[in-house]
């Protein structure tokens, strides 16, 4: 194999590795939007934008490098995979995916919190709740328990989060999500927990 062909093959493998790394980074950053938002706030969208740029540019470079060594089938596969991954990542509601998986993975902790609320015991949220929520604290609001996830950082006029209801909420049930905002339960997440916005 000529030296130039060997270098081209190595370059193709390198670009593919970088493209795959970019898609993995983008997938992780998209899934972890809420904890990232808690830690770096304004730079959150920059991190996700960087992930898109990294994944797309290296995928394009990988496709071009395969074409340059006449690996048309590999170029077609790389392009198809990049477009499919991009469409899936773009269309997925990552914030709700994170909330639902957190509820499933930490089902015991949420059940204990709900049981303590029903028994009128002191509420002691686990330490990890400060990552998905604003401060890790829950608020008692009448016959509901509210865990704020999002809050308009500038004016506190808008918010959304998780609420636990003792009874299934009606259409008119309102929860105070911020100083100047009331939210309604819009999505049943199971076991009495609802997404409120």
């Amino acid at each position: 194999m000529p030296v130039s062909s060997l270098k081209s093959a190595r370059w193709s493998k390198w670009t593919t590795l970088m493209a795959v790394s970019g898609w993995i980074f983008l997938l992780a950053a998209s899934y972890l939007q809420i904890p990232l938002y808690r830690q770096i706030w304004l730079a959150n969208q920059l991190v996700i934008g960087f992930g898109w740029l990294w994944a797309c540019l290296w995928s394009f470079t990988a496709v071009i490098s395969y074409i340059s060594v006449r690996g048309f089938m590999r170029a077609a596969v790389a392009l198809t995979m990049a477009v499919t991954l991009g469409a899936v990542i773009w269309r997925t509601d990552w914030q709700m995916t994170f909330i639902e998986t957190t509820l499933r993975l930490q089902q015991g902790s949420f059940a204990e919190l709900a049981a303590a609320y029903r028994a009128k015991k002191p509420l002691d949220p686990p330490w990890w709740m400060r990552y998905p929520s604003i401060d890790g604290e829950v608020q008692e609001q009448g016959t509901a328990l509210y865990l704020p996830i999002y809050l308009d950082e500038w004016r506190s006029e808008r918010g959304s989060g998780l609420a636990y209801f003792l009874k299934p909420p009606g259409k008119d049930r309102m929860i105070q999500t911020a100083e100047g905002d009331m939210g309604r339960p819009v999505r049943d997440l199971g076991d009495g927990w609802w997404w409120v916005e």
Side-chain angles (χ1 to χ4, degrees):
M1 180 180 271
V3 174
S4 62
S5 296
L6 188 60
K7 285 182 180 177
S8 295
R10 284 183 182 161
W11 175 248
S12 296
K13 287 180 182 178
W14 172 252
T15 58
T16 302
L17 179 64
M18 290 301 291
V20 169
S21 301
W23 288 111
I24 291 170
F25 177 84
L26 177 61
L27 189 64
S30 297
Y31 177 74
L32 296 171
Q33 279 182 35
I34 293 174
L36 281 174
Y37 182 78
R38 290 286 149 259
Q39 300 303 313
I40 56 177
W41 189 41
L42 289 174
N44 183 33
Q45 293 304 317
L46 291 175
V47 169
I48 292 171
F50 171 75
W52 276 106
L53 192 64
W54 179 2
C56 291
L57 284 178
W58 280 105
S59 294
F60 176 76
T61 306
V63 169
I64 295 302
S65 70
Y66 281 127
I67 289 172
S68 71
V69 294
R70 298 189 183 278
F72 299 115
M73 193 61 165
R74 288 183 180 182
V77 169
L79 181 62
T80 303
M81 290 180 68
V83 169
T84 303
L85 275 169
V88 168
I89 291 172
W90 184 263
R91 294 189 50 83
T92 301
D93 182 356
W94 289 106
Q95 294 170 354
M96 196 51 61
T97 301
F98 178 80
I99 295 294
E100 288 175 349
T101 55
T102 300
L103 274 168
R104 278 193 212 112
L105 292 173
Q106 300 293 339
Q107 193 171 14
S109 296
F110 281 99
E112 288 174 15
L113 197 59
Y117 177 65
R118 284 191 308 270
K120 299 192 185 319
K121 292 182 179 175
L123 300 173
D124 187 24
W127 64 269
W128 57 264
M129 275 195 182
R130 70 175 177 261
Y131 293 106
S133 67
I134 289 173
D135 54 9
E137 297 298 319
V138 291
Q139 305 165 3
E140 293 184 55
Q141 295 189 22
T143 58
L145 192 61
Y146 180 66
L147 179 68
I149 304 292
Y150 284 107
L151 183 66
D152 178 358
E153 301 286 344
W154 294 100
R155 297 169 295 194
S156 298
E157 290 181 356
R158 235 174 15 139
S160 55
L162 288 171
Y164 173 76
F165 295 95
L166 294 173
K167 298 176 186 174
K171 294 178 189 176
D172 298 328
R173 182 67 164 98
M174 301 292 276
I175 293 284
Q176 184 171 4
T177 57
E179 286 181 32
D181 189 30
M182 298 294 283
R184 295 179 193 278
V186 294
R187 186 169 182 169
D188 185 0
L189 300 171
D191 298 326
W193 291 94
W194 287 71
W195 179 252
V196 176
E197 55 185 33

